[in-house]
Amino acid sequence: MALGLLIRLRRNFGQTSALKAGFDFARGGIIISMDGDLQHDPEEIPRFLEKIEEGYDLVSGWRYARRDHWLMRRIPSRAANWMMAKLSGVDLHDFGTTLKAYRREIIQEIQLYGELHRFIPALASHTGAKIVEVPIENLERKSGTSNYGIGRTVRVFLDLLIVKFLLDYSTRPLQFFGMLGLAGTGSGFVLGLLLVGSKIFYHQNIMTEHGPLLLLSIALFVSGIQFISMGLLGEISSRTYYESQNKAIYALREVKSHRKELGDSAEPARPSGSSER
C-alpha cells in the first residue's frame, strides 16, 4: 500500500525550506520536485524517470522556450544561469526550474538553507552526481505570481559567491584567504622596502614626498595579516564543523566487498618465520 504524505509548514519559510522539508520526508528511491503554479506538466515525468534509469543521479528540466516577460524574467534568468554555469562548472542552461528528478541518496546528502535551491545541481555535482538536462515545455502560469526580476539577479550573484566558496574552499579556507593575505603582506613589504631605500640612498623625506605610498604599504601589510588570520580561524571552524558532526568530506557511490572462498583443506596463511609448538 502506498503511503501519501501532506506536509504543512507553520508559515511560508520560502522555496528552499519547502523543498528541504519534502526531501527529508520522502521515502521513495526517486524524488520528483515541481512547482504548484501549474507551469510544469506532470506528463513530462516519465522522461525524467527514463534518464534516471539510464544511470543519471539528477535530471534537470530546461525551459528552452520561455513564455515569461523578456525584460523582467528572461534576461535576468539568462544572466543568472550564465553566471551559475561558469562559476559552478555545471553545464546547464536552466538552473532555476524546480522540475527535477533526484536519486534519494543524492538529494538527502545536500544541506539546503537560505536560497540554495537553485544551486542544487552545482552542490550535487560537487558530490560526484551524474547530471543531465531534459528540455521541457514552459506552460502559462495558472496560479500565483512570480517575485523574480532584475533585482534578484544581484542576490543570485551573492549566493553564487557563497556556493563557489563552499564547493572549492569549505575544507581548506586558508588556501583562499592565505593567498590574499600573502599578496597583501608581500606587496606591502616590497613597497616598504622601496620607501626605506629611497630614504637611505636618496635622503628623501618619506612622509613629505611619499606619504600616501607609506600609508598604502602599511594598509596592505596589515590587511594581509588579517586575511591570513581569517584563514586560520576558518581552518579551525571547518575542522570543528566536520569533526563535531562526524561529517564525511567525501561521498560514496558504491561499496563492494570481495570474499575469497577457501576449500575445506585450506588453512589460514601463517606469518613468515612462525612455527607450531
Side-chain angles (χ1 to χ4, degrees), residues 3-266:
L3 176 63
L5 291 177
L6 173 63
I7 303 170
R8 296 182 60 189
L9 305 181
R10 291 186 179 272
R11 65 175 179 84
N12 185 357
F13 291 91
Q15 188 173 5
T16 299
S17 300
L19 285 171
K20 180 58 176 173
F23 296 149
D24 289 341
F25 282 91
R27 293 296 177 264
I30 301 174
I31 301 174
I32 305 290
S33 63
M34 59 192 308
D35 286 335
D37 56 11
L38 303 181
Q39 279 195 303
H40 297 151
D41 188 355
E43 294 185 359
E44 305 270 13
I45 293 178
R47 300 170 55 214
F48 285 68
L49 298 179
E50 290 175 0
K51 290 296 182 180
I52 292 290
E53 292 176 356
E54 291 178 9
Y56 292 99
D57 300 306
L58 191 156
V59 185
S60 180
W62 170 23
R63 295 165 294 182
Y64 63 95
R66 299 288 297 269
R67 298 188 180 183
D68 303 308
H69 192 274
W70 68 273
L71 178 60
M72 301 303 297
R73 291 280 293 174
R74 281 185 281 177
I75 290 181
S77 178
R78 287 187 179 182
N81 285 318
W82 181 84
M83 288 190 298
M84 286 187 278
K86 292 298 181 183
L87 292 183
S88 67
V90 181
D91 189 17
L92 293 181
H93 296 86
D94 190 357
F95 283 79
T97 180
T98 310
L99 183 53
K100 292 181 174 66
Y102 314 88
R103 292 190 185 274
R104 178 185 170 191
E105 63 271 16
I106 290 294
I107 192 58
Q108 291 190 335
E109 288 180 354
I110 299 176
Q111 296 298 323
L112 297 178
Y113 47 87
E115 294 187 359
L116 293 185
H117 63 276
R118 61 175 62 90
F119 302 104
I120 290 179
L123 298 172
S125 176
H126 183 66
T127 65
K130 297 176 61 178
I131 302 174
V132 70
E133 199 168 38
V134 173
I136 60 174
E137 291 189 18
N138 184 215
L139 304 178
E140 293 287 345
R141 182 186 297 271
K142 298 182 180 179
S143 62
T145 57
S146 174
N147 296 322
Y148 196 94
I150 296 178
R152 180 164 291 190
T153 305
V154 178
R155 286 183 283 175
V156 170
F157 178 73
L158 296 176
D159 289 336
L160 186 56
L161 293 179
I162 297 175
V163 172
K164 181 65 175 178
F165 181 82
L166 291 176
L167 295 181
D168 293 346
Y169 299 103
S170 62
T171 59
R172 46 193 180 98
L174 184 59
Q175 293 191 19
F176 176 78
F177 292 106
M179 293 300 295
L180 296 176
L182 291 177
T185 54
S187 57
F189 182 75
V190 170
L191 186 57
L193 285 180
L194 294 176
L195 293 176
V196 171
S198 65
K199 175 66 175 180
I200 295 175
F201 296 104
Y202 299 101
H203 307 287
Q204 295 180 349
N205 190 326
I206 297 178
M207 289 301 299
T208 303
E209 300 183 21
H210 304 291
L213 287 179
L214 178 61
L215 295 177
L216 177 61
S217 173
I218 296 173
L220 288 173
F221 190 84
V222 172
S223 62
I225 296 297
Q226 290 178 333
F227 274 115
I228 294 175
S229 301
M230 290 175 61
L232 292 173
L233 292 175
E235 290 284 341
I236 296 173
S237 300
S238 175
R239 279 152 177 73
T240 302
Y241 171 73
Y242 283 100
E243 294 177 7
S244 64
Q245 303 183 61
N246 291 325
K247 188 176 180 63
I249 59 175
Y250 56 84
L252 295 174
R253 179 176 297 275
E254 187 179 15
V255 177
K256 290 185 178 181
S257 61
H258 178 70
R259 182 177 180 181
K260 184 178 181 181
E261 297 294 337
L262 299 176
D264 295 337
S265 60

